[in-house]
Amino acid sequence: MPGLYARPDYWSELKFRQRYLHRVRALAQKHPDWTFCSYTAAVIYGLSVSHANLAHIHIAVAPAQSTTPGSQVIRHRYARQTRAIQMDIAVTDIDQTITDCLVDASFVEGLIIADSALHEQLLSKEHLVEAVDKLGLNRRGVVTARSVARCADGLSESGGESKARALMIERGWQTPELQVELFDPVEPGRPYRVDYLWRAGDQLIIGEFDGFVKSEKAAEEGKLAKAQFDERQRESRLSLLDNCKIVRLCWDDLRDPSKLDRKLKVAGVPRAC
């Protein structure tokens, strides 16, 4: 950004979210009077936010101040501005931050943020619904925000899992149970937790989301081959359960939801009532 610099070799090693946080930290030092809000504050709170929502830095300003957007900074006018400190950076409080994100985001991108807030136990489901009702009143996007708050679930463990579930809901599939424990039929006392579970009569349909985080971590630790072996063994055991199907989902399915639809249909996942 203008006036902010980093060593090229250091910068090239950083991932997208790390680069974004570096910009925010530098701006916070350069402008100690700034209060960050919306998606920027959500990142500072440690929430999952889609990269698509992080094209700009978001700051809060008083009603009398200009809100003319800069090339990379968006100013949001607040009649009543909340202020909290997170990671030594001034941000809007968690209620205001979440509400601002949800009234602006699509249902899919909003559910990623809301799930993350519940998973990190920054607020309860009831508190989330109340905050959106109160702070989102009469704001454009509040209908979507309320729907997101009602569907949010802290059992979701990653942004990818949340996005997949949001697409399922949006596209009319039955909402799955999350993080259900099923017992290994070969070693009955050994539980396996599955990302998604649907029950269609006496049929169990297991959904697993394949992200890259676990694989990257295993690769960094030199344990990728063992991790892949363990995963194959786990899936083999689960497939031995009575009347059980397994469908694996990945980021390609989320980029092209028609692929997601085809996989769920072939697996026999029920449609929502």
Side-chain angles (χ1 to χ4, degrees):
M1 292 183 69
L4 304 181
Y5 305 92
R7 298 185 194 89
D9 55 343
Y10 175 74
W11 191 252
S12 66
E13 295 294 321
L14 299 178
K15 295 179 181 178
F16 181 93
R17 187 182 177 96
Q18 293 171 320
R19 291 184 177 190
Y20 190 84
L21 276 170
H22 272 57
R23 292 189 186 100
V24 174
R25 285 183 177 279
L27 287 170
Q29 291 181 31
K30 193 173 182 180
H31 304 282
D33 57 322
W34 280 11
T35 299
F36 295 89
C37 63
S38 188
Y39 302 116
T40 303
V43 171
I44 296 168
Y45 276 109
L47 303 183
S48 294
V49 181
S50 171
H51 290 183
N53 296 129
L54 299 179
H56 299 88
I57 302 291
H58 299 263
I59 66 169
V61 298
Q65 291 178 272
S66 169
T67 57
T68 303
S71 60
Q72 297 187 51
V73 176
I74 294 179
R75 294 166 172 79
H76 300 256
R77 184 178 286 132
Y78 289 84
R80 171 186 166 272
Q81 187 183 124
T82 63
R83 188 176 170 97
I85 301 297
Q86 190 74 14
M87 294 194 337
D88 296 325
I89 299 172
V91 292
T92 49
D93 68 24
I94 189 63
D95 289 7
Q96 188 71 61
T97 296
I98 295 295
T99 302
D100 290 344
C101 291
L102 298 195
V103 298
D104 182 73
S106 66
F107 176 82
V108 173
E109 305 301 343
L111 194 64
I112 295 172
I113 296 169
D115 278 359
S116 181
L118 297 186
H119 184 74
E120 297 298 329
Q121 299 183 345
L122 295 181
L123 68 177
S124 66
K125 174 75 171 276
E126 294 73 20
H127 190 125
L128 173 63
V129 171
E130 290 173 5
V132 169
D133 278 341
K134 179 182 176 182
L135 299 175
L137 189 63
N138 298 325
R139 294 180 65 179
R140 181 183 297 175
V142 69
V143 173
T144 299
R146 285 172 174 158
S147 180
V148 168
R150 289 193 299 269
C151 293
D153 194 321
L155 291 176
S156 185
E157 295 186 330
S158 72
E161 289 180 23
S162 295
K163 186 167 186 175
R165 190 174 95 264
L167 286 169
M168 294 171 199
I169 296 169
E170 199 172 57
R171 300 175 75 82
W173 297 101
Q174 187 181 101
T175 304
E177 299 173 52
L178 303 183
Q179 303 302 323
V180 176
E181 282 194 347
L182 299 175
F183 288 93
D184 184 341
V186 179
E187 299 178 56
R190 181 178 185 179
Y192 288 122
R193 247 181 353 157
V194 300
D195 294 336
Y196 312 111
L197 182 69
W198 295 271
R199 304 176 197 269
D202 60 352
Q203 177 87 57
L204 292 178
I205 304 167
I206 294 169
E208 293 282 79
F209 182 78
D210 291 326
F212 300 110
V213 175
K214 290 179 182 177
S215 296
E216 284 181 349
K217 185 176 180 182
E220 289 170 2
E221 296 173 353
K223 299 176 182 177
L224 182 56
K226 185 178 186 307
Q228 291 173 335
F229 174 80
D230 289 345
E231 182 58 30
R232 286 194 297 270
Q233 291 301 306
R234 176 179 180 275
E235 185 164 327
S236 173
R237 295 289 182 90
L238 287 171
S239 68
L240 295 175
L241 290 167
D242 291 336
N243 300 316
C244 178
K245 288 183 181 179
I246 300 174
V247 56
R248 302 197 75 92
L249 308 175
C250 62
W251 279 104
D252 277 349
D253 303 324
L254 309 190
R255 284 186 280 266
D256 181 2
S258 63
K259 290 183 180 179
L260 177 70
D261 289 337
R262 289 195 294 272
K263 281 188 176 181
L264 298 180
K265 182 178 180 180
V266 170
V269 173
R271 283 285 183 176
C273 296

